[in-house]
Amino acid sequence: MMHLYTYDPAPNPRRLTLFLSYKGIELPTTQIDMRENEHRGADFLAINPLGTLPALLTDDGVLLTEVIAICDYLESQHPAKPLMGSTPLERALVLSWDHRIFVSIFEAFAEMLRNRSPAFENRALPGPLDVEQIPALEERGRKRFRGSLELFDKELGDKPFLCGDTVSFADIDLLVGVETARWVKESIPEGCSRLEAWLERTREALA
C-alpha cells in the first residue's frame, strides 16, 4: 500500500504538501521528526538509506525519494488540476523552471543555512555522508539567491505565473523557496515588483 514518509515543516516536504493539497490527494503518512534526528535513525534508514524526506513507497514497493519524481508519478495517477503541464511542451517548461529554481534558490538556501548553523556541523550537504561546513559559502548563497530572483523578476514579465496563465509545480517550488528563505533573513529583493505580485497570486491560487 502506498505510504508517505515526511516532515511537514521542512522545505522539501512542504513542496509536496502543497502539491497534494492543491490536487486533493490524501495518502497514508508517517511524520519523521527531523528535529529529533529521526531521519538519521536506524528505523528510517532501513526504509530510505539516504535519510532524506519526503519519501514515497509506491504500491509496487518502489521507494521514490525526490520531490519532482514523486509529484510526476502522482500526477500521472491524478491528472485533474494539472500542475506538471497539460502538453509535452508545458511539461518541459515546468521541469525547466523547476530545475532552475532548485539549483539557484534551494541550493542557495542550503548554502546559507547549512554552512552557518551549528545544527548542521559536519552535515553541510543532505544525505548520509559527513561533509564539513565552508563558511564562505554562506555569502555565496546569498548572492546566488538575490541575483536569481532579480533575473526571475525580469523573465516573469507580464505572465501571471512562471509557465503561463495557470499555476504549476514550478510556482509551488518558487513560493516555498522564497518563504523558507526567511529562515536565513532573506526575501524577494527590493524593486522586484513583478515577483511580489506573483507571490500574492500564487498564494491565492493555492489557497
Side-chain angles (χ1 to χ4, degrees), residues 83-116:
L83 285 169
M84 304 298 294
S86 300
T87 68
L89 181 57
E90 288 177 358
R91 184 172 182 272
L93 287 172
V94 172
L95 292 174
S96 179
W97 266 106
D98 192 74
H99 179 74
R100 289 180 61 189
I101 292 164
F102 192 83
V103 170
S104 59
I105 301 299
F106 281 88
E107 288 189 0
F109 167 75
E111 284 186 343
M112 289 184 272
L113 180 67
R114 287 181 170 268
N115 287 288
R116 66 184 289 269

PDB file of all heavy atoms in Angstrom, residues 83-116:
ATOM      1  N   LEU A  83      -0.585  20.148 -12.472  1.00  0.00           N
ATOM      2  CA  LEU A  83       0.481  21.032 -12.009  1.00  0.00           C
ATOM      3  C   LEU A  83       1.791  20.794 -12.738  1.00  0.00           C
ATOM      4  O   LEU A  83       2.736  21.569 -12.570  1.00  0.00           O
ATOM      5  CB  LEU A  83       0.703  20.849 -10.502  1.00  0.00           C
ATOM      6  CG  LEU A  83      -0.350  21.478  -9.592  1.00  0.00           C
ATOM      7  CD1 LEU A  83      -0.171  20.990  -8.151  1.00  0.00           C
ATOM      8  CD2 LEU A  83      -0.289  22.998  -9.657  1.00  0.00           C
ATOM      9  N   MET A  84       1.838  19.736 -13.553  1.00  0.00           N
ATOM     10  CA  MET A  84       3.061  19.403 -14.281  1.00  0.00           C
ATOM     11  C   MET A  84       2.940  19.684 -15.772  1.00  0.00           C
ATOM     12  O   MET A  84       3.763  19.236 -16.562  1.00  0.00           O
ATOM     13  CB  MET A  84       3.416  17.926 -14.062  1.00  0.00           C
ATOM     14  CG  MET A  84       3.565  17.506 -12.612  1.00  0.00           C
ATOM     15  SD  MET A  84       4.895  18.349 -11.748  1.00  0.00           S
ATOM     16  CE  MET A  84       6.320  17.722 -12.610  1.00  0.00           C
ATOM     17  N   GLY A  85       1.895  20.438 -16.158  1.00  0.00           N
ATOM     18  CA  GLY A  85       1.682  20.744 -17.565  1.00  0.00           C
ATOM     19  C   GLY A  85       0.681  19.799 -18.200  1.00  0.00           C
ATOM     20  O   GLY A  85       0.593  18.630 -17.823  1.00  0.00           O
ATOM     21  N   SER A  86      -0.049  20.315 -19.189  1.00  0.00           N
ATOM     22  CA  SER A  86      -1.069  19.506 -19.877  1.00  0.00           C
ATOM     23  C   SER A  86      -0.636  19.037 -21.253  1.00  0.00           C
ATOM     24  O   SER A  86      -1.320  18.226 -21.874  1.00  0.00           O
ATOM     25  CB  SER A  86      -2.370  20.319 -20.010  1.00  0.00           C
ATOM     26  OG  SER A  86      -2.865  20.689 -18.746  1.00  0.00           O
ATOM     27  N   THR A  87       0.487  19.551 -21.751  1.00  0.00           N
ATOM     28  CA  THR A  87       1.037  19.135 -23.046  1.00  0.00           C
ATOM     29  C   THR A  87       2.526  18.848 -22.846  1.00  0.00           C
ATOM     30  O   THR A  87       3.124  19.259 -21.840  1.00  0.00           O
ATOM     31  CB  THR A  87       0.872  20.245 -24.101  1.00  0.00           C
ATOM     32  OG1 THR A  87       1.723  21.355 -23.750  1.00  0.00           O
ATOM     33  CG2 THR A  87      -0.576  20.706 -24.187  1.00  0.00           C
ATOM     34  N   PRO A  88       3.165  18.163 -23.803  1.00  0.00           N
ATOM     35  CA  PRO A  88       4.601  17.917 -23.670  1.00  0.00           C
ATOM     36  C   PRO A  88       5.411  19.201 -23.506  1.00  0.00           C
ATOM     37  O   PRO A  88       6.365  19.233 -22.708  1.00  0.00           O
ATOM     38  CB  PRO A  88       4.948  17.193 -24.974  1.00  0.00           C
ATOM     39  CG  PRO A  88       3.686  16.466 -25.346  1.00  0.00           C
ATOM     40  CD  PRO A  88       2.594  17.407 -24.956  1.00  0.00           C
ATOM     41  N   LEU A  89       5.053  20.249 -24.232  1.00  0.00           N
ATOM     42  CA  LEU A  89       5.798  21.498 -24.109  1.00  0.00           C
ATOM     43  C   LEU A  89       5.582  22.140 -22.739  1.00  0.00           C
ATOM     44  O   LEU A  89       6.535  22.636 -22.119  1.00  0.00           O
ATOM     45  CB  LEU A  89       5.384  22.474 -25.217  1.00  0.00           C
ATOM     46  CG  LEU A  89       6.110  23.826 -25.203  1.00  0.00           C
ATOM     47  CD1 LEU A  89       7.621  23.636 -25.286  1.00  0.00           C
ATOM     48  CD2 LEU A  89       5.608  24.707 -26.346  1.00  0.00           C
ATOM     49  N   GLU A  90       4.336  22.127 -22.263  1.00  0.00           N
ATOM     50  CA  GLU A  90       4.073  22.690 -20.943  1.00  0.00           C
ATOM     51  C   GLU A  90       4.835  21.928 -19.863  1.00  0.00           C
ATOM     52  O   GLU A  90       5.388  22.533 -18.940  1.00  0.00           O
ATOM     53  CB  GLU A  90       2.568  22.650 -20.650  1.00  0.00           C
ATOM     54  CG  GLU A  90       1.759  23.653 -21.461  1.00  0.00           C
ATOM     55  CD  GLU A  90       0.269  23.523 -21.204  1.00  0.00           C
ATOM     56  OE1 GLU A  90      -0.125  22.618 -20.427  1.00  0.00           O
ATOM     57  OE2 GLU A  90      -0.498  24.304 -21.782  1.00  0.00           O
ATOM     58  N   ARG A  91       4.855  20.607 -19.987  1.00  0.00           N
ATOM     59  CA  ARG A  91       5.599  19.807 -19.007  1.00  0.00           C
ATOM     60  C   ARG A  91       7.085  20.137 -19.059  1.00  0.00           C
ATOM     61  O   ARG A  91       7.747  20.242 -18.017  1.00  0.00           O
ATOM     62  CB  ARG A  91       5.389  18.315 -19.271  1.00  0.00           C
ATOM     63  CG  ARG A  91       6.049  17.412 -18.232  1.00  0.00           C
ATOM     64  CD  ARG A  91       5.633  15.961 -18.441  1.00  0.00           C
ATOM     65  NE  ARG A  91       6.230  15.096 -17.426  1.00  0.00           N
ATOM     66  CZ  ARG A  91       7.414  14.520 -17.536  1.00  0.00           C
ATOM     67  NH1 ARG A  91       8.137  14.719 -18.655  1.00  0.00           N
ATOM     68  NH2 ARG A  91       7.897  13.767 -16.576  1.00  0.00           N
ATOM     69  N   ALA A  92       7.608  20.332 -20.260  1.00  0.00           N
ATOM     70  CA  ALA A  92       9.018  20.678 -20.402  1.00  0.00           C
ATOM     71  C   ALA A  92       9.307  22.027 -19.740  1.00  0.00           C
ATOM     72  O   ALA A  92      10.347  22.205 -19.090  1.00  0.00           O
ATOM     73  CB  ALA A  92       9.413  20.714 -21.878  1.00  0.00           C
ATOM     74  N   LEU A  93       8.403  22.989 -19.884  1.00  0.00           N
ATOM     75  CA  LEU A  93       8.587  24.293 -19.264  1.00  0.00           C
ATOM     76  C   LEU A  93       8.566  24.190 -17.742  1.00  0.00           C
ATOM     77  O   LEU A  93       9.384  24.813 -17.051  1.00  0.00           O
ATOM     78  CB  LEU A  93       7.495  25.265 -19.737  1.00  0.00           C
ATOM     79  CG  LEU A  93       7.630  25.773 -21.170  1.00  0.00           C
ATOM     80  CD1 LEU A  93       6.379  26.556 -21.570  1.00  0.00           C
ATOM     81  CD2 LEU A  93       8.869  26.652 -21.318  1.00  0.00           C
ATOM     82  N   VAL A  94       7.642  23.407 -17.222  1.00  0.00           N
ATOM     83  CA  VAL A  94       7.578  23.219 -15.768  1.00  0.00           C
ATOM     84  C   VAL A  94       8.871  22.586 -15.258  1.00  0.00           C
ATOM     85  O   VAL A  94       9.457  23.045 -14.265  1.00  0.00           O
ATOM     86  CB  VAL A  94       6.363  22.359 -15.378  1.00  0.00           C
ATOM     87  CG1 VAL A  94       6.415  22.013 -13.885  1.00  0.00           C
ATOM     88  CG2 VAL A  94       5.067  23.082 -15.702  1.00  0.00           C
ATOM     89  N   LEU A  95       9.335  21.550 -15.928  1.00  0.00           N
ATOM     90  CA  LEU A  95      10.556  20.877 -15.495  1.00  0.00           C
ATOM     91  C   LEU A  95      11.773  21.786 -15.613  1.00  0.00           C
ATOM     92  O   LEU A  95      12.668  21.766 -14.755  1.00  0.00           O
ATOM     93  CB  LEU A  95      10.770  19.597 -16.305  1.00  0.00           C
ATOM     94  CG  LEU A  95       9.753  18.478 -16.065  1.00  0.00           C
ATOM     95  CD1 LEU A  95      10.008  17.324 -17.033  1.00  0.00           C
ATOM     96  CD2 LEU A  95       9.828  17.974 -14.631  1.00  0.00           C
ATOM     97  N   SER A  96      11.811  22.590 -16.672  1.00  0.00           N
ATOM     98  CA  SER A  96      12.922  23.503 -16.857  1.00  0.00           C
ATOM     99  C   SER A  96      12.975  24.540 -15.738  1.00  0.00           C
ATOM    100  O   SER A  96      14.026  24.783 -15.129  1.00  0.00           O
ATOM    101  CB  SER A  96      12.806  24.196 -18.217  1.00  0.00           C
ATOM    102  OG  SER A  96      13.870  25.116 -18.408  1.00  0.00           O
ATOM    103  N   TRP A  97      11.834  25.173 -15.462  1.00  0.00           N
ATOM    104  CA  TRP A  97      11.778  26.147 -14.384  1.00  0.00           C
ATOM    105  C   TRP A  97      12.087  25.494 -13.047  1.00  0.00           C
ATOM    106  O   TRP A  97      12.807  26.061 -12.212  1.00  0.00           O
ATOM    107  CB  TRP A  97      10.399  26.800 -14.329  1.00  0.00           C
ATOM    108  CG  TRP A  97      10.310  28.072 -15.091  1.00  0.00           C
ATOM    109  CD1 TRP A  97       9.695  28.290 -16.293  1.00  0.00           C
ATOM    110  CD2 TRP A  97      10.865  29.334 -14.706  1.00  0.00           C
ATOM    111  NE1 TRP A  97       9.831  29.601 -16.676  1.00  0.00           N
ATOM    112  CE2 TRP A  97      10.543  30.268 -15.727  1.00  0.00           C
ATOM    113  CE3 TRP A  97      11.610  29.769 -13.609  1.00  0.00           C
ATOM    114  CZ2 TRP A  97      10.927  31.603 -15.661  1.00  0.00           C
ATOM    115  CZ3 TRP A  97      11.998  31.100 -13.549  1.00  0.00           C
ATOM    116  CH2 TRP A  97      11.657  31.996 -14.558  1.00  0.00           C
ATOM    117  N   ASP A  98      11.535  24.312 -12.849  1.00  0.00           N
ATOM    118  CA  ASP A  98      11.726  23.632 -11.573  1.00  0.00           C
ATOM    119  C   ASP A  98      13.203  23.345 -11.314  1.00  0.00           C
ATOM    120  O   ASP A  98      13.702  23.539 -10.194  1.00  0.00           O
ATOM    121  CB  ASP A  98      10.925  22.326 -11.541  1.00  0.00           C
ATOM    122  CG  ASP A  98      10.862  21.743 -10.150  1.00  0.00           C
ATOM    123  OD1 ASP A  98      10.131  22.294  -9.314  1.00  0.00           O
ATOM    124  OD2 ASP A  98      11.557  20.751  -9.900  1.00  0.00           O
ATOM    125  N   HIS A  99      13.916  22.922 -12.344  1.00  0.00           N
ATOM    126  CA  HIS A  99      15.342  22.654 -12.179  1.00  0.00           C
ATOM    127  C   HIS A  99      16.093  23.930 -11.842  1.00  0.00           C
ATOM    128  O   HIS A  99      16.959  23.944 -10.950  1.00  0.00           O
ATOM    129  CB  HIS A  99      15.911  22.020 -13.455  1.00  0.00           C
ATOM    130  CG  HIS A  99      17.375  21.739 -13.374  1.00  0.00           C
ATOM    131  ND1 HIS A  99      17.892  20.701 -12.625  1.00  0.00           N
ATOM    132  CD2 HIS A  99      18.438  22.370 -13.935  1.00  0.00           C
ATOM    133  CE1 HIS A  99      19.208  20.700 -12.730  1.00  0.00           C
ATOM    134  NE2 HIS A  99      19.566  21.705 -13.508  1.00  0.00           N
ATOM    135  N   ARG A 100      15.775  25.008 -12.543  1.00  0.00           N
ATOM    136  CA  ARG A 100      16.440  26.280 -12.271  1.00  0.00           C
ATOM    137  C   ARG A 100      16.179  26.738 -10.839  1.00  0.00           C
ATOM    138  O   ARG A 100      17.092  27.229 -10.151  1.00  0.00           O
ATOM    139  CB  ARG A 100      15.952  27.346 -13.243  1.00  0.00           C
ATOM    140  CG  ARG A 100      16.429  27.160 -14.673  1.00  0.00           C
ATOM    141  CD  ARG A 100      15.910  28.264 -15.564  1.00  0.00           C
ATOM    142  NE  ARG A 100      16.387  29.575 -15.135  1.00  0.00           N
ATOM    143  CZ  ARG A 100      15.931  30.718 -15.636  1.00  0.00           C
ATOM    144  NH1 ARG A 100      14.981  30.704 -16.566  1.00  0.00           N
ATOM    145  NH2 ARG A 100      16.416  31.877 -15.207  1.00  0.00           N
ATOM    146  N   ILE A 101      14.945  26.609 -10.393  1.00  0.00           N
ATOM    147  CA  ILE A 101      14.593  27.042  -9.037  1.00  0.00           C
ATOM    148  C   ILE A 101      15.328  26.199  -8.002  1.00  0.00           C
ATOM    149  O   ILE A 101      15.844  26.727  -7.004  1.00  0.00           O
ATOM    150  CB  ILE A 101      13.072  26.964  -8.833  1.00  0.00           C
ATOM    151  CG1 ILE A 101      12.381  28.017  -9.701  1.00  0.00           C
ATOM    152  CG2 ILE A 101      12.703  27.142  -7.368  1.00  0.00           C
ATOM    153  CD1 ILE A 101      10.892  27.787  -9.869  1.00  0.00           C
ATOM    154  N   PHE A 102      15.405  24.909  -8.228  1.00  0.00           N
ATOM    155  CA  PHE A 102      16.074  24.054  -7.257  1.00  0.00           C
ATOM    156  C   PHE A 102      17.558  24.393  -7.168  1.00  0.00           C
ATOM    157  O   PHE A 102      18.124  24.503  -6.074  1.00  0.00           O
ATOM    158  CB  PHE A 102      15.898  22.575  -7.629  1.00  0.00           C
ATOM    159  CG  PHE A 102      16.323  21.646  -6.521  1.00  0.00           C
ATOM    160  CD1 PHE A 102      15.450  21.349  -5.485  1.00  0.00           C
ATOM    161  CD2 PHE A 102      17.592  21.097  -6.494  1.00  0.00           C
ATOM    162  CE1 PHE A 102      15.846  20.499  -4.443  1.00  0.00           C
ATOM    163  CE2 PHE A 102      17.990  20.267  -5.465  1.00  0.00           C
ATOM    164  CZ  PHE A 102      17.107  19.964  -4.441  1.00  0.00           C
ATOM    165  N   VAL A 103      18.189  24.592  -8.316  1.00  0.00           N
ATOM    166  CA  VAL A 103      19.624  24.874  -8.322  1.00  0.00           C
ATOM    167  C   VAL A 103      19.929  26.262  -7.780  1.00  0.00           C
ATOM    168  O   VAL A 103      20.862  26.440  -6.981  1.00  0.00           O
ATOM    169  CB  VAL A 103      20.183  24.717  -9.757  1.00  0.00           C
ATOM    170  CG1 VAL A 103      21.605  25.250  -9.834  1.00  0.00           C
ATOM    171  CG2 VAL A 103      20.142  23.257 -10.186  1.00  0.00           C
ATOM    172  N   SER A 104      19.155  27.248  -8.192  1.00  0.00           N
ATOM    173  CA  SER A 104      19.511  28.631  -7.861  1.00  0.00           C
ATOM    174  C   SER A 104      18.885  29.146  -6.573  1.00  0.00           C
ATOM    175  O   SER A 104      19.415  30.082  -5.967  1.00  0.00           O
ATOM    176  CB  SER A 104      19.119  29.563  -9.010  1.00  0.00           C
ATOM    177  OG  SER A 104      17.729  29.497  -9.264  1.00  0.00           O
ATOM    178  N   ILE A 105      17.782  28.551  -6.135  1.00  0.00           N
ATOM    179  CA  ILE A 105      17.108  29.016  -4.918  1.00  0.00           C
ATOM    180  C   ILE A 105      17.287  28.023  -3.771  1.00  0.00           C
ATOM    181  O   ILE A 105      17.780  28.390  -2.695  1.00  0.00           O
ATOM    182  CB  ILE A 105      15.609  29.273  -5.173  1.00  0.00           C
ATOM    183  CG1 ILE A 105      15.428  30.323  -6.270  1.00  0.00           C
ATOM    184  CG2 ILE A 105      14.911  29.692  -3.879  1.00  0.00           C
ATOM    185  CD1 ILE A 105      16.031  31.674  -5.952  1.00  0.00           C
ATOM    186  N   PHE A 106      16.921  26.774  -3.990  1.00  0.00           N
ATOM    187  CA  PHE A 106      17.019  25.803  -2.892  1.00  0.00           C
ATOM    188  C   PHE A 106      18.473  25.492  -2.536  1.00  0.00           C
ATOM    189  O   PHE A 106      18.816  25.380  -1.356  1.00  0.00           O
ATOM    190  CB  PHE A 106      16.261  24.518  -3.239  1.00  0.00           C
ATOM    191  CG  PHE A 106      14.780  24.638  -3.040  1.00  0.00           C
ATOM    192  CD1 PHE A 106      13.967  25.105  -4.046  1.00  0.00           C
ATOM    193  CD2 PHE A 106      14.193  24.315  -1.830  1.00  0.00           C
ATOM    194  CE1 PHE A 106      12.599  25.250  -3.876  1.00  0.00           C
ATOM    195  CE2 PHE A 106      12.833  24.437  -1.637  1.00  0.00           C
ATOM    196  CZ  PHE A 106      12.032  24.910  -2.658  1.00  0.00           C
ATOM    197  N   GLU A 107      19.324  25.360  -3.528  1.00  0.00           N
ATOM    198  CA  GLU A 107      20.735  25.114  -3.221  1.00  0.00           C
ATOM    199  C   GLU A 107      21.380  26.345  -2.590  1.00  0.00           C
ATOM    200  O   GLU A 107      22.230  26.225  -1.705  1.00  0.00           O
ATOM    201  CB  GLU A 107      21.487  24.688  -4.477  1.00  0.00           C
ATOM    202  CG  GLU A 107      21.141  23.276  -4.924  1.00  0.00           C
ATOM    203  CD  GLU A 107      22.043  22.778  -6.042  1.00  0.00           C
ATOM    204  OE1 GLU A 107      22.941  23.546  -6.467  1.00  0.00           O
ATOM    205  OE2 GLU A 107      21.844  21.640  -6.491  1.00  0.00           O
ATOM    206  N   ALA A 108      20.967  27.537  -3.021  1.00  0.00           N
ATOM    207  CA  ALA A 108      21.480  28.759  -2.396  1.00  0.00           C
ATOM    208  C   ALA A 108      21.040  28.836  -0.939  1.00  0.00           C
ATOM    209  O   ALA A 108      21.836  29.191  -0.050  1.00  0.00           O
ATOM    210  CB  ALA A 108      20.998  29.982  -3.165  1.00  0.00           C
ATOM    211  N   PHE A 109      19.785  28.508  -0.670  1.00  0.00           N
ATOM    212  CA  PHE A 109      19.302  28.485   0.712  1.00  0.00           C
ATOM    213  C   PHE A 109      20.098  27.478   1.543  1.00  0.00           C
ATOM    214  O   PHE A 109      20.494  27.772   2.681  1.00  0.00           O
ATOM    215  CB  PHE A 109      17.817  28.125   0.736  1.00  0.00           C
ATOM    216  CG  PHE A 109      17.300  27.775   2.101  1.00  0.00           C
ATOM    217  CD1 PHE A 109      17.070  28.758   3.043  1.00  0.00           C
ATOM    218  CD2 PHE A 109      17.067  26.454   2.447  1.00  0.00           C
ATOM    219  CE1 PHE A 109      16.610  28.432   4.318  1.00  0.00           C
ATOM    220  CE2 PHE A 109      16.609  26.120   3.706  1.00  0.00           C
ATOM    221  CZ  PHE A 109      16.366  27.114   4.640  1.00  0.00           C
ATOM    222  N   ALA A 110      20.340  26.313   0.970  1.00  0.00           N
ATOM    223  CA  ALA A 110      21.097  25.294   1.697  1.00  0.00           C
ATOM    224  C   ALA A 110      22.511  25.774   2.005  1.00  0.00           C
ATOM    225  O   ALA A 110      23.050  25.504   3.090  1.00  0.00           O
ATOM    226  CB  ALA A 110      21.137  23.994   0.894  1.00  0.00           C
ATOM    227  N   GLU A 111      23.133  26.492   1.068  1.00  0.00           N
ATOM    228  CA  GLU A 111      24.467  27.036   1.324  1.00  0.00           C
ATOM    229  C   GLU A 111      24.428  28.013   2.493  1.00  0.00           C
ATOM    230  O   GLU A 111      25.310  27.997   3.356  1.00  0.00           O
ATOM    231  CB  GLU A 111      25.000  27.736   0.070  1.00  0.00           C
ATOM    232  CG  GLU A 111      25.475  26.787  -1.008  1.00  0.00           C
ATOM    233  CD  GLU A 111      26.126  27.514  -2.168  1.00  0.00           C
ATOM    234  OE1 GLU A 111      25.929  28.743  -2.313  1.00  0.00           O
ATOM    235  OE2 GLU A 111      26.837  26.841  -2.940  1.00  0.00           O
ATOM    236  N   MET A 112      23.408  28.859   2.530  1.00  0.00           N
ATOM    237  CA  MET A 112      23.297  29.832   3.606  1.00  0.00           C
ATOM    238  C   MET A 112      23.069  29.153   4.954  1.00  0.00           C
ATOM    239  O   MET A 112      23.696  29.500   5.946  1.00  0.00           O
ATOM    240  CB  MET A 112      22.157  30.807   3.313  1.00  0.00           C
ATOM    241  CG  MET A 112      22.427  31.784   2.184  1.00  0.00           C
ATOM    242  SD  MET A 112      21.072  32.991   1.976  1.00  0.00           S
ATOM    243  CE  MET A 112      19.985  32.109   0.859  1.00  0.00           C
ATOM    244  N   LEU A 113      22.158  28.196   4.985  1.00  0.00           N
ATOM    245  CA  LEU A 113      21.770  27.578   6.251  1.00  0.00           C
ATOM    246  C   LEU A 113      22.786  26.551   6.738  1.00  0.00           C
ATOM    247  O   LEU A 113      23.230  26.600   7.896  1.00  0.00           O
ATOM    248  CB  LEU A 113      20.401  26.911   6.105  1.00  0.00           C
ATOM    249  CG  LEU A 113      19.870  26.212   7.361  1.00  0.00           C
ATOM    250  CD1 LEU A 113      19.568  27.243   8.447  1.00  0.00           C
ATOM    251  CD2 LEU A 113      18.620  25.403   7.031  1.00  0.00           C
ATOM    252  N   ARG A 114      23.181  25.648   5.857  1.00  0.00           N
ATOM    253  CA  ARG A 114      23.986  24.520   6.299  1.00  0.00           C
ATOM    254  C   ARG A 114      25.442  24.878   6.572  1.00  0.00           C
ATOM    255  O   ARG A 114      26.157  24.112   7.228  1.00  0.00           O
ATOM    256  CB  ARG A 114      23.911  23.390   5.259  1.00  0.00           C
ATOM    257  CG  ARG A 114      22.569  22.664   5.269  1.00  0.00           C
ATOM    258  CD  ARG A 114      22.522  21.534   4.261  1.00  0.00           C
ATOM    259  NE  ARG A 114      21.348  20.700   4.427  1.00  0.00           N
ATOM    260  CZ  ARG A 114      21.300  19.601   5.179  1.00  0.00           C
ATOM    261  NH1 ARG A 114      22.371  19.207   5.828  1.00  0.00           N
ATOM    262  NH2 ARG A 114      20.185  18.899   5.266  1.00  0.00           N
ATOM    263  N   ASN A 115      25.891  26.027   6.081  1.00  0.00           N
ATOM    264  CA  ASN A 115      27.282  26.409   6.317  1.00  0.00           C
ATOM    265  C   ASN A 115      27.441  27.425   7.442  1.00  0.00           C
ATOM    266  O   ASN A 115      28.541  27.928   7.670  1.00  0.00           O
ATOM    267  CB  ASN A 115      27.899  26.956   5.023  1.00  0.00           C
ATOM    268  CG  ASN A 115      28.165  25.858   4.015  1.00  0.00           C
ATOM    269  OD1 ASN A 115      29.075  25.053   4.175  1.00  0.00           O
ATOM    270  ND2 ASN A 115      27.344  25.813   2.971  1.00  0.00           N
ATOM    271  N   ARG A 116      26.341  27.738   8.145  1.00  0.00           N
ATOM    272  CA  ARG A 116      26.418  28.696   9.247  1.00  0.00           C
ATOM    273  C   ARG A 116      25.864  28.152  10.558  1.00  0.00           C
ATOM    274  O   ARG A 116      26.280  28.570  11.622  1.00  0.00           O
ATOM    275  CB  ARG A 116      25.656  29.983   8.892  1.00  0.00           C
ATOM    276  CG  ARG A 116      24.154  29.787   8.748  1.00  0.00           C
ATOM    277  CD  ARG A 116      23.455  31.054   8.293  1.00  0.00           C
ATOM    278  NE  ARG A 116      23.435  32.072   9.332  1.00  0.00           N
ATOM    279  CZ  ARG A 116      22.445  32.195  10.223  1.00  0.00           C
ATOM    280  NH1 ARG A 116      21.432  31.343  10.216  1.00  0.00           N
ATOM    281  NH2 ARG A 116      22.457  33.165  11.111  1.00  0.00           N
TER     282      ARG A 116
END
